[in-house]
Amino acid sequence: MSRSTPASPGSLASKATLDCLSKLISFDTTSRNSNLALIEWAAQELETAGARLHYTYNSDRTKANLFATFGAGDGGIVLSGHSDVVPVDGQDWRSDPFVAQIRDGRVYGRGACDMKGFIAVVLSQAEAFGRADLREPLHVALSYDEEVGCLGVPALLADIAQAGFRPSGCIVGEPTGMRLIGAHKGGRIYRCHVRGCAAHSSLTPRGVNAIEYASRLIAHIQDLAEREETCGCHDDGFDVPFSTISTNTIVGGTARNIIPADCEFDFDYRFLPGTSPDLFIASLEEYAREVVLPKMRRKNSQASIEFECLGAIPALDAQERDAIFRLAAALLGHTRAEKVAYGTEASFFQAAGVPSVVCGPGSIEQAHKPDEYVTLEQLAACERFVARLVERLSR
């Protein structure tokens, strides 16, 4: 892969970054697939530049996290990104989503924005990391399965802690338009399984209609959501300034003339920093246990309602006193940080004792869409940001 110096202010992205981004996009790392080909390629680039590598695999070794370190000593700054992307199924793309194309000052391709653009900038400057006389380490973290519930990053954090790494700060390069993000909502995804009793639809009283009882729970979830909006905590720093709850999928029933015995639905809770998600689910479970389930069991003692947490993302709430917050703000020339509703792996680093912020090229509005893109100007801005970081960390 060719190398070049970072783009100068006002110019477009360097050829090195574009080459890296093209290569990264060519790996179909949709979360259902393995990410090993991308990880192995990135590892070779980083090791060639002088990094020491540390891997963490999933249980069947089809996916891996990569943690690469330049320099020596304690602490250090982590530049972190996830390697997986969302599916392109059913989307209408103008070009092959896994072949990078430059059109009208934009790089198109799945993951161009979320978040292979940031990873490309980092990898393109790996040689600069290796040449720098660093006062403290510079780490690069690449994770798997962020898009399906941040499944890889907990293992990465546990493994590097066991290995003795204690980073002093982390910058997660999710697309923010190169704006500093200091806070985001937390998230919980739940599944509710309602089990009733099947019967012929002409014998309705003999069955327990799982769909109908599930609908009572869904209506209660909607009531809780409305209560959050009208009476809950508000933070006007967020575009949606209150915690939100929504039911997003539902499956149930087997035939038009059979009372359904089973119904499953998934719901999503996005909560403000400082809010306890446990109180919400406890309230819902109490309603299910005290109100809905007794009505079901009067008809059939085997009826049940079960809740399962499918994924949990902590809220991020960086503090201005954090060294990483002050460092990122200085590099960007920003006086304040913003807040966003979507979640990132930054909150996992923060929960593990690594103060973290979010800043990366591109707009979240382009993420997950057909014809996903990142602009050349945004990539160039990220190049300058990373170059300044290396200067700050050098003797």
Side-chain angles (χ1 to χ4, degrees), residues 192-195 210-224 247 263 265 267 283-289 291-293 296 304-307:
C192 178
H193 191 172
V194 180
R195 292 184 176 88
I211 290 178
E212 291 180 356
Y213 284 103
S215 70
R216 300 188 186 197
L217 293 168
I218 292 170
H220 186 68
I221 289 171
Q222 186 176 16
D223 290 341
L224 293 175
T247 302
C263 182
F265 63 91
F267 57 100
S283 172
L284 181 58
E285 288 176 332
E286 181 182 17
Y287 178 80
R289 183 177 62 252
V291 178
V292 180
L293 192 56
M296 297 174 65
S304 64
I305 300 173
E306 298 175 356
F307 293 93

Side-chain angles (χ1 to χ4, degrees), residues 9 82 90 109 162 165 250 353 355 363 378 381 387:
H82 62 80
Q162 186 175 11
F165 293 100
I250 183 168
S363 168
Q378 282 285 296

Side-chain angles (χ1 to χ4, degrees), residues 186-190 224 228 243 245 267 269-272 274-287 289 307 309 311-315:
R188 293 273 183 93
I189 299 174
Y190 294 97
L224 293 175
E228 287 286 352
S243 299
I245 316 158
F267 57 100
Y269 181 41
R270 303 285 176 139
F271 54 92
L272 295 173
T275 300
S276 171
D278 295 333
L279 295 178
F280 157 72
I281 192 62
S283 172
L284 181 58
E285 288 176 332
E286 181 182 17
Y287 178 80
R289 183 177 62 252
F307 293 93
C309 183
I313 300 175

Side-chain angles (χ1 to χ4, degrees), residues 23 33 56 76 86 97 114 128 138 156 194 199 201 240 257 334 372 383:
K23 186 67 174 180
N33 300 333
T56 307
V86 298
D114 184 18
L138 183 60
L156 182 149
V194 180
S201 59
V240 179
N257 60 351
H334 291 183
E372 177 183 350
E383 288 177 336

Side-chain angles (χ1 to χ4, degrees), residues 28-68:
D28 181 357
T29 52
T30 304
S31 302
R32 61 184 173 232
N33 300 333
S34 172
N35 73 335
L36 291 182
L38 183 151
I39 290 295
E40 289 166 0
W41 178 79
Q44 182 177 3
E45 296 296 311
L46 291 163
E47 188 173 38
T48 299
R52 302 182 303 283
L53 306 181
H54 191 87
Y55 297 89
T56 307
Y57 292 90
N58 66 346
S59 59
D60 58 6
R61 298 184 72 84
T62 59
K63 299 182 180 183
N65 300 310
L66 175 64
F67 192 77

Side-chain angles (χ1 to χ4, degrees), residues 99-373:
V99 177
Q101 286 201 5
I102 299 177
R103 303 193 302 267
D104 303 321
R106 301 168 175 175
V107 183
Y108 289 87
R110 175 53 87 220
C113 166
D114 184 18
M115 56 181 299
K116 292 180 177 180
F118 175 77
I119 297 173
V121 169
V122 171
L123 294 180
S124 73
Q125 299 201 38
E127 285 188 355
F129 302 164
R131 291 193 303 266
D133 185 13
L134 297 169
R135 296 192 311 273
E136 58 179 305
L138 183 60
H139 309 284
V140 177
L142 302 179
S143 66
Y144 65 83
D145 282 0
E146 188 271 353
E147 297 288 8
V148 288
C150 296
L151 303 183
V153 71
L156 182 149
L157 289 166
D159 213 28
I160 64 172
Q162 186 175 11
F165 293 100
R166 300 288 185 272
S168 56
C170 176
I171 300 169
V172 173
E174 289 279 5
T176 70
M178 292 307 298
R179 295 174 292 119
L180 178 60
I181 303 301
H184 65 61
K185 291 182 179 180
R188 293 273 183 93
I189 299 174
Y190 294 97
R191 175 166 295 160
C192 178
H193 191 172
V194 180
R195 292 184 176 88
C197 179
H200 193 281
S201 59
S202 65
L203 302 173
T204 299
R206 299 183 184 179
V208 180
N209 193 315
I211 290 178
E212 291 180 356
Y213 284 103
S215 70
R216 300 188 186 197
L217 293 168
I218 292 170
H220 186 68
I221 289 171
Q222 186 176 16
D223 290 341
L224 293 175
E226 292 173 355
R227 190 183 309 166
E228 287 286 352
E229 182 175 359
T230 57
C231 305
C233 297
H234 278 58
D235 185 336
D236 291 333
F238 289 92
D239 51 359
V240 179
F242 47 86
S243 299
T244 60
I245 316 158
S246 60
T247 302
N248 299 327
T249 66
I250 183 168
V251 178
T254 56
R256 294 173 182 170
N257 60 351
I258 300 176
I259 300 300
D262 291 276
C263 182
E264 284 188 348
F265 63 91
D266 295 348
F267 57 100
D268 177 286
Y269 181 41
R270 303 285 176 139
F271 54 92
L272 295 173
T275 300
S276 171
D278 295 333
L279 295 178
F280 157 72
I281 192 62
S283 172
L284 181 58
E285 288 176 332
E286 181 182 17
Y287 178 80
R289 183 177 62 252
E290 302 296 332
V291 178
V292 180
L293 192 56
K295 295 178 180 179
M296 297 174 65
R297 286 185 171 170
R298 279 197 288 270
K299 294 185 176 183
N300 187 297
S301 62
Q302 301 303 308
S304 64
I305 300 173
E306 298 175 356
F307 293 93
E308 177 186 4
C309 183
L310 302 179
I313 300 175
L316 174 68
D317 193 11
Q319 304 298 311
E320 292 188 10
R321 64 177 178 272
D322 293 339
I324 189 63
F325 186 105
R326 298 195 305 271
L327 173 60
L331 295 175
L332 293 166
H334 291 183
T335 58
R336 67 182 184 88
E338 300 179 37
K339 303 176 181 182
V340 293
Y342 58 86
T344 76
E345 291 178 334
S347 58
F348 287 86
F349 280 91
Q350 176 184 264
V354 183
S356 302
V357 294
V358 186
C359 181
S363 168
I364 195 66
E365 293 182 1
Q366 303 306 322
H368 301 187
K369 291 183 177 180
D371 293 331
E372 177 183 350
Y373 70 82

